[in-house]
């Protein structure tokens, strides 16, 4: 559609970065960025120039907690029709996975959009349809857009939406890892714009660049981060100007504000992160599966759920280790037989590493 | 998950809420356009069945030139 491939330009960017003789570590938070980096070998090329880039908690399926998985499994078991995005059905919970439950006769549907889930509810008025809503700021407006249209009352949402800026802040506050700069997710930013990232640069003096998803976008974003560091700057820059406006998508932001309120939630591998989750506002609580099925979900309320034995998805998501450093990677844990969600999701760094490097 | 695919709006439905988007190579789909202000002929990014942003065609076409300019300024 718009060609963004130019080998000479890529060579020029790489050699300019190499000439700066830096040793830096950047984090991005997006599975699509990781896919571009690994598929095109940019991670390796940049490493040779002294720049390491790792994926943080930027995969909505991966950061969904074991408890949330158990909630949806329980609702499936109780006879609801469960609709969710493809990768979510394969994430192993403590007891089972949605895919496994489907083989046991539960009604689990993979959908491309929340619109498809709504259509299921409209067509089958005698069924209770629960949509497991995962995703960051990119996806949450689609959920909001459906809820403001007053869907039928046999439709509800298990809200697992999360927000990116609070997670970036948590990574910095935890201080487990040195981060010289963030590459910010282009499509989250089409919604929120560049302002919500600014406090991070101001308070932690960390440079940030919003980036697109072509190989040249990521090379250029890396170059822009390196330039900021060389100049002693720490601001939010936008490389993805063809899609991201400073103010973001105001219409989508208003919908988010109308339907959701922020709430403290845990992320897989993280402690509770303040105001990093979205919950339906009171006006929409008739569509909140946690309210609607409170009695049925009560038995999970006080249970503690642990990660699968030996699984280091938490360490991978916090950027402490690479996928290959997990002892289960490629042996016990493969895309065919995943132990943790980072190997399930096509956006998970373990699955991406496995897919392109085959161990 | 946050994957979004660019496509061109070829027809907007009368309700102004949905549109047909051409992704190239003959692939056309109905998309919810209620999150954006869009006109026929414009390009949008589509995520999970919704257009989430209108692409700036001028910026897109000038991206490579802009990169080259930044590099030459810096590289001297």
């Amino acid at each position: 559609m718009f060609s963004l491939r130019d080998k000479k330009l890529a060579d020029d960017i790489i050699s300019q970065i190499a000439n700066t003789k830096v040793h830096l570590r950047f984090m991005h938070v997006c599975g699509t960025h990781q896919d571009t980096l690994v598929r095109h070998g940019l991670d390796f090329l940049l490493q040779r120039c002294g720049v390491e880039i790792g994926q943080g908690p930027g995969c909505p399926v991966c950061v969904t907690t074991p408890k949330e998985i158990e909630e949806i499994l329980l609702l499936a078991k109780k006879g609801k029709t469960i609709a969710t995005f493809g990768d979510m059905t394969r994430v192993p919970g403590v007891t089972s996975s949605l895919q496994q439950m489907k083989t046991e006769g539960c009604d689990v549907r993979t959908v491309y959009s929340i619109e498809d889930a709504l259509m299921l509810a409209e067509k089958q008025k005698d069924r209770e349809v629960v949509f497991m809503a995962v995703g960051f700021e990119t996806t949450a407006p689609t959920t909001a857009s459906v809820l403001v249209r007053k869907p039928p009352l046999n439709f509800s949402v298990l809200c697992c939406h999360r927000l990116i800026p609070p997670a970036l802040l948590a990574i910095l506050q935890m201080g487990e890892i040195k981060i010289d700069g963030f590459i910010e997710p282009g499509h989250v930013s089409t919604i929120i714009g560049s302002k919500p990232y600014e406090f991070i640069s101001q308070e932690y003096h960390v440079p940030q660049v919003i980036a697109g998803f072509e190989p040249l976008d990521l090379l250029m974003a890396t170059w822009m981060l390196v330039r900021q560091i060389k100049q002693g700057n720490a601001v939010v820059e936008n490389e993805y100007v063809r899609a991201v406006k400073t103010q973001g998508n105001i219409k989508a932001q208003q919908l988010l504000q109308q339907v959701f309120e922020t709430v403290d939630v845990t992320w897989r591998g993280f402690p509770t992160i303040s105001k990093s989750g979205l919950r339906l506002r009171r006006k929409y609580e008739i569509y909140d599966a946690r309210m609607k099925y409170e009695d049925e979900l009560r038995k999970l309320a006080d249970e503690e759920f642990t990660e699968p034995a030996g699984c280091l998805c938490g360490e991978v998501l916090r950027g402490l280790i690479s996928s290959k450093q997990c002892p289960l990677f490629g042996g016990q844990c493969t895309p065919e037989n995943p132990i943790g969600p980072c190997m399930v999701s096509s956006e998970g760094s373990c699955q991406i590493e496995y897919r392109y490097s085959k161990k | 998950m946050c994957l979004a695919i660019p496509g061109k709006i070829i027809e907007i439905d009368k309700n102004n809420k949905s549109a047909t988007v051409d992704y190239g190579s003959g692939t056309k789909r109905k998309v919810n356009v209620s999150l954006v202000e869009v006109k026929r002929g414009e390009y949008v990014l589509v995520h999970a069945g919704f257009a989430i942003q209108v692409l700036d065609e001028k910026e897109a076409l000038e991206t490579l030139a802009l990169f080259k300019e930044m590099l030459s300024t810096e590289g001297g």
Side-chain angles (χ1 to χ4, degrees), chain B residues 30-49:
Chain B
K30 271 271 188 263
V31 162
N32 183 315
V33 291
S34 64
L35 298 176
V36 290
E37 300 286 346
V38 74
K39 291 194 288 287
R40 202 170 135 204
E42 287 186 321
Y43 289 86
V44 287
L45 278 171
V46 181
H47 166 75

Side-chain angles (χ1 to χ4, degrees), chain A residues 139-152:
Chain A
T139 321
T142 69
T143 303
S145 156
V146 162
L147 294 182
V148 294
R149 273 149 48 192
K150 298 196 173 90

Side-chain angles (χ1 to χ4, degrees), chain A residues 69-70 73 89-97 268 308 338-341 344:
Chain A
I69 312 279
E70 290 309 309
L73 291 177
T89 62
R90 298 185 57 232
V91 178
V94 180
T95 49
S96 186
S97 68
R268 189 180 293 257
I339 307 286
V344 173

